[in-house]
Amino acid sequence: MLDVRRMQVLRAVVTSGSVTAAAANLGYTPSAVSQQVAALEKQAGTALLERFGRGVRPTAAGLLLTEHAAVISRNVAEAETALADLRAGRTGQLSVRYFATAGATLVAPALARLRDEHPGVRIDLKLIDPDDPLPEVQQGRADLAIVVHPRDRPSAGIRLVHLLDDPYRAVLPKGHRLAAKKVLDLTDLADEPWVGNEWPAGPCLETVVDACAAAGFSPDFVVESEDYATAQGFIAAGLGVGLMPTLGLGNRPHPGIVVRKVRGPEPVRAIYAAVRETSPAQPALLGLIDALRDAAAC
């Protein structure tokens, strides 16, 4: 294989017209330059320079390699520029995964800010719901994921950045016998039929089931659904009651339901930004985390 550094020495000789001039430009001795060219000629299997007056000029093979050396030099310069842009957060790509109820509240404003601060960074954004987005980061398919995760359960190789705590609320059909209470004890719902709002089971359902277990009962799920909007419709129709996080209720809950605080205990899901511990400190990634924190604080 041809030595790229020797090709650049050859290019210096050809563009300067002599070994002596090339040596002065490169900071080498003329002998060192001659040795580099001779070694390249041995690799190429042909002469690359010929005497011309007091200097030298390239043979056809020498001119060919000089032209390729110029292309290589330009490509290296472009690579250095691209790498500098990437390190500075001016270019690149971030893969982001999220669950549905975090989209409008957290992801949308954070990405809008990131676009303003790092307009050259491309965002690969994908909804992972009802599955847990965390494996996307663990398996290297995403740079960051918005996840619901237990506070006391670390994940190997993952750094969790706390964004917010999202408390659950009791959701009842209008006219329900408990609707007159402003705050419900969780045990008030023990004997009620329940509408599930996360099926198949995931970390959010686990939060609800664990809270009910702490209150001394297991919820009796008579209806299953995969999203909060559908669950609200089932509850409004009188099919049961449920618990939903405040982000899941949205700004406009179903008109046929009432929402009440709950205690004893109050279930809370902790929402984090998850990144790999080995992720490089990219400015765009750090900027996105800061933007998510600010969105969560609003």
Side-chain angles (χ1 to χ4, degrees):
M1 181 180 292
L2 296 175
D3 189 294
V4 173
R5 291 173 296 177
R6 291 169 180 163
M7 290 174 64
Q8 296 303 327
V9 171
L10 172 66
R11 181 184 175 215
V13 173
V14 172
T15 55
S16 62
S18 72
V19 170
T20 302
N25 292 335
L26 295 173
Y28 296 165
T29 65
S31 175
V33 171
S34 296
Q35 290 174 7
Q36 292 292 312
V37 173
L40 185 60
E41 287 180 326
K42 185 176 181 180
Q43 287 182 318
T46 187
L48 301 175
L49 297 173
E50 60 184 8
R51 292 284 180 183
F52 182 71
R54 291 188 175 184
V56 293
R57 65 183 178 184
T59 64
L63 184 60
L64 175 69
L65 290 189
T66 298
E67 291 172 348
H68 279 281
V71 172
I72 291 171
S73 182
R74 286 196 300 270
N75 288 343
V76 170
E78 290 173 359
E80 289 175 343
T81 299
L83 182 59
D85 287 341
L86 181 64
R87 287 199 305 261
R90 292 186 290 269
T91 61
Q93 175 173 305
L94 286 180
S95 297
V96 179
R97 303 294 180 259
Y98 71 103
F99 60 91
T101 53
T105 303
L106 298 177
V107 178
L111 290 185
R113 184 172 124 183
L114 183 70
R115 184 180 59 185
D116 291 339
E117 295 177 351
H118 301 276
V121 175
R122 181 177 177 271
I123 302 299
D124 170 29
L125 180 64
K126 186 179 293 184
L127 172 68
I128 305 293
D129 209 354
D131 294 332
D132 184 1
L134 184 60
E136 293 285 300
V137 176
Q138 292 172 319
Q139 297 167 19
R141 293 191 295 268
D143 299 299
L144 180 147
I146 310 299
V147 301
V148 173
H149 198 75
R151 288 183 177 276
D152 57 351
R153 193 181 304 168
S155 294
I158 296 295
R159 180 167 70 96
L160 295 170
V161 180
H162 182 257
L163 298 177
L164 60 86
D165 291 326
D166 191 19
Y168 280 73
R169 298 290 182 251
V171 182
L172 313 169
K174 277 190 173 179
H176 191 278
R177 62 181 181 83
L178 296 172
K181 298 182 67 173
K182 292 184 178 180
V183 180
L184 301 180
D185 293 313
L186 193 52
T187 52
D188 290 338
L189 306 176
D191 297 326
E192 297 287 332
W194 282 59
V195 173
N197 48 59
E198 184 189 3
W199 226 267
C204 296
L205 180 60
E206 184 179 337
T207 300
V208 171
V209 172
D210 287 350
C212 292
F217 72 96
S218 295
D220 178 21
F221 291 106
V222 297
V223 179
E224 299 172 1
S225 67
E226 293 184 356
D227 61 84
Y228 297 118
T230 302
Q232 289 182 38
F234 286 145
I235 293 172
L239 300 181
V241 302
L243 289 179
M244 295 185 193
T246 53
L247 289 183
L249 287 166
N251 294 325
R252 294 184 178 179
H254 192 289
I257 65 172
V258 294
V259 178
R260 297 291 182 262
K261 289 184 177 182
V262 65
R263 64 191 176 192
E266 178 189 55
V268 176
R269 64 176 185 175
I271 299 177
Y272 297 87
V275 297
R276 288 184 300 279
E277 289 181 344
T278 56
S279 294
Q282 301 178 48
L285 181 58
L286 297 177
L288 177 56
I289 292 173
D290 286 342
L292 287 167
R293 280 172 163 163
D294 289 346
C298 292

